[in-house]
Structure formats: structure tokens, C-alpha cells
Amino acid sequence: MPEAASPPPLLPPPASASSPAASVLRARRRRRAWRRPRGLLCWGALVAFFFLMNWWMFSHLQDPATRPRFRLRRNPPRATNSSLSTLEEVNATEKGKRPHPVMLTRLLALAAHALAEADNRPEPKDLWKEPINATLWKPCSDQRDWEASGNISSSEGTNGYIIISANGGINQQRVAICNAVTISRLLNATLVIPKFLYSNVWLDKSQFRDIYQEDYFIKYLKPDIRIVKELPLELQSLDLEAIGSLVNDTDVMKESKPSIYVKKILPILLKNRVVHFVGFGNRLSFDPIPFQLQRLRCRCNFHALRFVHKIQETGALLVERLQGHMPHLSPLQDNLLGHFAGKSIPSGNRNESSKYLAVHLRFEIDMVAYSMCYFGGGKDEEEELEMYRQIHFPALTEIKRTTKLPSAAFLRSEGKCPLAPEEAVLMLAAIGFKRRTSIYIAGAEIYGGRHRMAAISRLYPALVTKETLLSPSELEPFRNFSSQLAALDFIACASADAFAMTDPGSQFSSLVQGYRMYYGGGDLPTLRPNKRRLASILVKNATIEWKEFETRVNKLIQQTKQVHERPIARSIFRHPRCPECMCRTDN
């Protein structure tokens, strides 16, 4: 027979509804029932709180209405006086157009948190210093030894006259001047003070005498070449195009060797007594070139070109207000400021910090449009930039219409895109600049205006520009002269305790870097991001943690700060550490 099932265990008899035990059971059940939804509510409230906090931080990074104004610590700027506001921003507001979105909001929020935590920690020791071996290089291009190079013609200028018409902005013009001086020596020609072509991009009618001291330029280079202010009367009436003396960029290749000028240009010069280079820019190679010619090119850039007194005086005012004290007399300040270095100037309000970082944000609309990159602005951005290209870069528009170009994503991955302000500020935060760091912003109108600058001004509120440091009356002599305004930026950036460029290909940044190398004595570091490597880090913005971001950015910046002799064929304006321009003290 199957085994009988065991009887169920005995259960306590049910309590009556009115018994004390029943009351206790009912109370326990009510407490259990209440605890479950209350726990869920607490978790829900906590998640909602974090969501709202993140939304608030991100919206404040993007919303231009909540941004702080650019200001000098004691003297808030006037909104009508800032180069960082644009007409497009005003029009966009009137039409109800949404502000240009800020990229990388997650990383920006992490950077804000990291900067808040770092307030009480010391800055990295090498933040404001170059590597120790930078002190081994000293300026020496002012030394002349033409006798040692017998293959170089004399400076009498007897073979004829060279005229140049330089295009571009102040930086391209400066390179053209130095190359023209070198070519004049090579061909034993007399140089006529260079002319500057008017550009519909730069919109500046300034000529050489409006930016540089003509008499000083002529006198300083007298041992090297003969320079005059005008052609002789008998040559002024010549039709240079008709006689074949007009030379343009198609006649002389970019970075041509000196032998090309001897072969192609010297015969014209000897025949017609004058040659006019139109659009003359970077038309002389850096290598191979005779030692003393290379030294002359350095000497012209670092010694012969001095700003006019009007620019020097206002530049000294800028530096004094940035540093909080009168600029010290040094070889750099003597070159940039002349007798205004060390001279007492009514300075008005001063910045409290004695150290400042200068940042060149190469993010003007011309740069953004020409890059063919995308910066998160959607259809409106694409249409606006395409319209700008059609007006200012018609050749690029035609190429785009007929040729398949690389995608914006590919250009960014290859480091071909200018850094947006939010990308630049992430780099600064990662390498250790404190939130209270005084930062001078150089450049013209930032594409996207103030709302594009919201991210950088939220993380670093002590931002200043020449427009916020100088009064309207102090700026008035420079209005509508972009090259003269750029000269003020050049002085402020070259004099800075640290300088950060966002586009290593920028001519302005290259010239500033070279000046700081030449005159810095190891005390003027320049930060040069490798944009391709930086792009490979930023592409992981959705997942990368701040510590890893800091480590990787610091590594790539440290690699670019290493001291090397100028590589073959590289610009001496950017890399003056070479025997022709600078001398090693350990030799």
C-alpha cells in the first residue's frame, strides 16, 4: 500500500478580529505596505534630483542669457565695446533663432567639477615654465659677418629696385617684408618700402608707416641692404606690366629656392632696373639657403620691424594692466614697446594678478568657413557658412561643387578643424590652469558671438580682451584698422607669462611663438596642441572620465613643449632655434 501522506502541520487558530494579536498583525501589514512605495518614492526623488542638477548645469553652459559678462575684475566692460559680440547674435535674437549649441557639454560639466575641487591644490610646477634646456639658446641674429660669405652680393643696391605689394593681414605682410629684404640682398637690389594690398577680408587701409617705424627700419638694415621710400622719378612713369617687370605668384612658386630668383628675376631686374612683386608672400624657401641670408631674414623679423609709437604706447598700457605693474625693461619689451617699456603711463584699473595666460582663439568666421568643418549648429550653420564661402571664397565653393571633398567628421579626426572655444577651454582645464587664472583672449570676432564663449567664461570668469582693458577713447585711434588691432594682440600675447594657441597653423600664433622662443630665455612657454591627437581624445567625450582625459591631454601637451632645433625646411619665424637665428651657450 502506498505510504499515507503525513498530516499538515498544525497552524495556530485564527485570531478573532477584536483580539490584540489581530491588531498587531494589521499594524505590521500597514507598515510593510507603506515602506515599499515610500522607498520607491525616495529613489525616484533622488534620480530626479540628479537629473535636474545635470540639466541645470548643461543649460547654464549653453544658455547665453545666464552667461557672465567678460570683465576686468574691478572694471566691468561695456557690452557695446566688445569684439566678442556680433551683429549675427543680435539678429538671431530678434528673429527668435536658437543660440548656437555648445559641444561637449558632458566634459564641460566634469571640467567645472574638477576646477572647483582643484582650488586648494597647487598648480603643476612646469605650467608657467619652458623645459630647462630652453635656456641654452640665446638671440644672435643681430650679428653680421658678410665678409665670411663671399658668394653673397654687396648691399649697395646697384642692380635696380624691388617693389613688393604684400597681401593678407599683418602676419602675412610681415613674412613678405622679411622675404623681400632677403631677396633684395641676394640680387644686390634697392628695396622700396613695401606696400600693403587692400583686402575685402581684412578691410584695412593701413600701410607700412601706419604699423612699423619706417626710419628705424631703413637705418637698422642699412649695413645689409639699401632701402628707399619711393622709386626714383624717372622710373615712376614706367608701365611695369608692359615691359615685363610685373611678377605675380604664378611666376614664382611658393617657397622657391634662391637660385630661382637669380635665374628668373635677376635678368629682368638688370634689363628694366625695376621689378614689382604683386601679392608677394611666402615665396622664399627656408632651406637650402645661405647662412647669412637666413640670418638676415631673422634679423629683419626680430630686430628691424618695430611698431610705431602709437601702437607701442597702447601696447604698454595693455601689458601694464594685465600684469598689474609697469612692464619691465627687457630685450623683448624693448623690441615691442620701445621707450614706453619702463615708462610710467596712467594705467587706470589694474588686474590684481601678476601672471596671465594669453589665448589666441582662431575661430573667426573666415577660418570656420574655410575649414569646411562642422561645429554643431545644424542647418543654420551650414547655410550661413556656405553663403560666406560664396562671397569670400568663390574658388572653394567651385571646388566643393565639382569635387567630392572629405567629410567634416574625417577633417576633424585628422586635426584639420580649428578648435572651438569649448574644446580650447577643456584643454586649459586639463593641463592645470586654475579657475581664477587671468586669461587674455586675442582675436577678432568669435564665430557665434558671446553665446559661443559661454563655456569658457563659465569655467574661467577672469577673461579680458583689449576691448575690456582699454577705454573707448584709448581704442578710438585703432578702430577700423584690423592690422593695428592685431598688433596690440601681438604685444599682449608675446608678453604673456604663458601663451596657448588653438591653431598651430595660424600665422599669428606662429609669429608669437617664434618671438617668445627668441626673446623668452626659457621663461615664456607656449602651449601647442596636436589637434589630430586631441581630436582622438575628444571623440570619446561621451564615455571618457576626467582623470583619463587629464592624463592624455597633459601627455600630448608635454610632447609639444620639448625643445628642439629647427627641423629642415621649417619656418624660422616659428622655430628660430637654429644657428642662423640663435646661438647655443653650451658650444
Side-chain angles (χ1 to χ4, degrees), residues 9-78:
L10 295 175
L11 296 175
S16 66
S18 59
S19 68
S23 299
V24 171
L25 285 172
R26 284 197 299 272
R28 285 177 180 170
R29 288 173 186 150
R30 282 197 299 270
R31 284 197 297 271
R32 288 173 185 161
W34 167 245
R35 282 176 187 156
R36 191 175 295 109
R38 186 171 61 178
L40 292 174
L41 283 172
C42 289
W43 276 107
L46 190 61
V47 171
F49 172 76
F50 281 112
F51 175 80
L52 288 171
M53 285 298 294
N54 283 331
W55 172 84
W56 182 85
M57 291 176 70
F58 292 165
S59 66
H60 271 57
L61 284 169
Q62 290 180 309
D63 185 3
T66 61
R67 67 184 183 271
R69 298 280 181 183
F70 291 100
R71 61 186 182 276
L72 187 60
R73 294 184 187 209
R74 297 182 185 175
N75 185 21
R78 289 160 289 278

Side-chain angles (χ1 to χ4, degrees), residues 317-342:
L317 201 60
L318 266 179
V319 176
E320 182 177 1
R321 291 177 181 174
L322 281 162
Q323 293 180 334
H325 56 75
M326 191 185 309
H328 297 305
L329 188 59
S330 66
L332 174 66
Q333 299 299 4
D334 177 58
N335 178 275
L336 293 176
L337 307 177
H339 68 273
F340 295 101

Side-chain angles (χ1 to χ4, degrees), residues 416-586:
K416 303 296 184 182
C417 299
L419 292 190
E422 51 266 39
E423 295 173 310
V425 76
L426 284 169
M427 177 183 74
L428 299 179
I431 60 181
F433 286 103
K434 295 293 191 69
R435 176 177 167 79
R436 60 179 177 271
T437 302
S438 295
I439 300 180
Y440 178 87
I441 300 293
E445 287 186 58
I446 300 300
Y447 176 61
R450 283 186 176 272
H451 56 263
R452 187 91 228 190
M453 293 296 294
I456 190 168
S457 60
R458 290 291 293 180
L459 297 187
Y460 290 98
L463 293 180
V464 292
T465 65
K466 55 185 174 293
E467 287 79 10
T468 64
L469 286 166
L470 300 172
S471 68
S473 61
E474 290 165 342
L475 269 175
E476 187 58 35
F478 306 97
R479 292 198 184 282
N480 302 318
F481 298 105
S482 61
S483 292
Q484 297 179 45
L485 289 170
L488 295 178
D489 275 339
F490 186 94
I491 291 172
C493 290
S495 303
D497 298 281
F499 172 63
M501 61 175 73
T502 58
D503 179 25
S506 160
Q507 194 79 269
F508 176 91
S509 292
S510 297
L511 290 173
V512 169
Q513 171 187 283
Y515 247 76
R516 293 170 65 82
M517 281 186 184
Y518 190 80
Y519 284 112
D523 292 326
L524 299 178
T526 296
L527 309 173
R528 295 174 290 111
N530 181 319
K531 291 196 296 180
R532 184 176 183 178
R533 291 189 56 200
L534 186 59
S536 70
I537 302 172
L538 290 171
V539 76
K540 300 179 180 180
N541 67 87
T543 56
I544 193 169
E545 293 303 324
W546 184 252
K547 284 297 182 185
E548 182 185 354
F549 183 77
E550 274 185 324
T551 301
R552 295 184 63 181
V553 171
N554 268 285
K555 185 176 180 181
L556 75 87
I557 292 295
Q558 287 299 325
Q559 289 175 343
T560 62
K561 286 179 72 174
Q562 294 176 7
V563 176
H564 300 290
E565 186 171 330
R566 178 183 71 92
I568 294 294
R570 298 296 295 274
S571 166
I572 55 96
F573 306 115
R574 177 197 289 261
H575 302 285
R577 290 190 184 114
C578 58
E580 299 91 335
C581 298
M582 302 182 73
C583 301
R584 288 184 66 103
T585 58
D586 59 339

Side-chain angles (χ1 to χ4, degrees), residues 274-287:
V274 59
V275 171
H276 185 182
F277 291 97
V278 179
F280 187 73
N282 195 17
R283 299 287 146 182
L284 179 63
S285 66
F286 290 104
D287 291 298

Side-chain angles (χ1 to χ4, degrees), residues 389-390 392-401:
R389 290 185 201 104
Q390 290 174 8
H392 297 282
F393 306 123
L396 183 59
T397 303
E398 181 62 21
I399 292 173
K400 184 181 177 184
R401 188 180 65 82

